[in-house]
Amino acid sequence: MNTLIVVLGPTGIGKSDISIQLARKYSTDIISADSRQFFRELSIGTAVPPKTDLESVCHHFIQTRSIHDYYNVSEYETDAIDRINHLFKIKNPVILTGGSMMYIDTICKGIDDIPTVTPEIRDEVIGWYEDNGLEALQQRLLSLDPEYYSIVDLNNPKRLLHAVEICQMTGKTFTSFRKNTVRERPFRIIKIGINQNRELLYQRINYRVEQMMEAGLLDEARSVYPFKSLNSLNTVGYKELFSYFDGDITLDEAVDLVRRNSRKYARKQLTWFRRDKDIHWFEPTQIQEIIAFIEQELNEHDKLENH
RNA sequence: GGGGAGAUACCAAAGUGGCCAACUGGGGCAGACUGUAACUCUGCUGGCGUACGCCUUCGUAGGUUCGAAUCCUGCUCUCCCCA
């Protein structure tokens, strides 16, 4: 059976380096599970690996789309699973790496089939919400899908909005699509988590922000500033600099915010990963241990299969 | 040297006799998460305790009062204006 090695962890921990080393060792490719590295207009602020790395190891789903494109987890699931299965014909293991929690889970477990909301419906519902407010939105959901209403976080407009959109568009309840089924994958998954002591992680993050600024993040952000309202640009490292361009804060304040929001994001990632008991955790320096662990897992697996 | 303003929890900042362990924001910590998810949302944040609660806090030392972060006095420090 083929194996997908998933390398995950908080932002800035050094996942890319480790994945590249693993990819070299196993002469294989890397599939990105990073919801911001998809965009070709962004590279410094999203920490896309340097050109030399991209050339030495084949990466998939990095900078393949535009910030103007609509893309979502479901499409990613289809695309990435196709690519992984395709790669398995000639390579094994394959490596998946990234920090976008939901994207990783989608590859590992799948996600329910829910129709993609059309722009018309989206505009209609959002416009309606802006005119009528949160309470009205809650009531609208209550009448469309009381079951979901009883379990959603009623203060979370994004969740409410999407449920209403789906109900509106399909004429069915949002609940009816939420099967919560886990898709069995025809390959084995080994999850490697990279993390370290919180203080060191924060130091790493702070340092990386420094490096990004030196590498020209300010110019990169300025180049996409005209499109700042795009969702793809509601991204740490850019939105803060947009506030600076807007004249709302100083550059120093903006950079400080980038650091803080990066730390927050890292914490959020860890919260998500914490409940996944399948992850085997290592420190960024433990590349030897990681390889040893993978070897052991692969061997055990072969034995099981031969029996 | 003279005059004025102020010192509140990690930071900022309300509170100006009891409803104050102290509004609010930030930060920090924890959590949720089914399609634009690096999004969006929630809880906690003096100490001890699961909890009713108990203990120690509002520069500092005293005082007034049944009761003080709030009133009075001394001291220390900070800022502003005049010299």
Side-chain angles (χ1 to χ4, degrees), chain A residues 193-239:
Chain A
I194 313 297
N195 193 204
Q196 71 187 144
N197 162 292
R198 187 68 57 96
E199 202 179 324
L200 290 173
L201 171 64
Y202 285 179
Q203 279 176 22
R204 252 173 200 276
I205 289 171
N206 293 161
Y207 176 63
R208 192 169 74 161
V209 171
E210 220 89 340
Q211 285 181 310
M212 284 177 176
M213 288 305 293
E214 280 168 28
L217 181 58
L218 194 64
D219 287 339
E220 185 172 284
R222 193 174 271 120
S223 72
V224 292
Y225 178 52
F227 318 112
K228 64 171 181 171
S229 58
L230 292 172
N231 177 75
S232 51
L233 293 175
N234 186 180
T235 298
V236 177
Y238 298 88
K239 57 182 172 188

Side-chain angles (χ1 to χ4, degrees), chain A residues 88-122:
Chain A
F88 276 145
K89 287 175 185 161
I90 44 169
K91 300 187 179 194
N92 179 42
V94 166
I95 292 162
L96 177 82
T97 187
S100 302
M101 305 82 88
M102 200 174 174
Y103 285 69
I104 294 170
D105 281 359
T106 293
I107 298 299
C108 298
K109 304 187 305 200
I111 192 165
D112 289 329
D113 290 315
I114 299 172
T116 294
V117 177
T118 61
E120 295 73 39
I121 293 283
R122 175 140 297 175

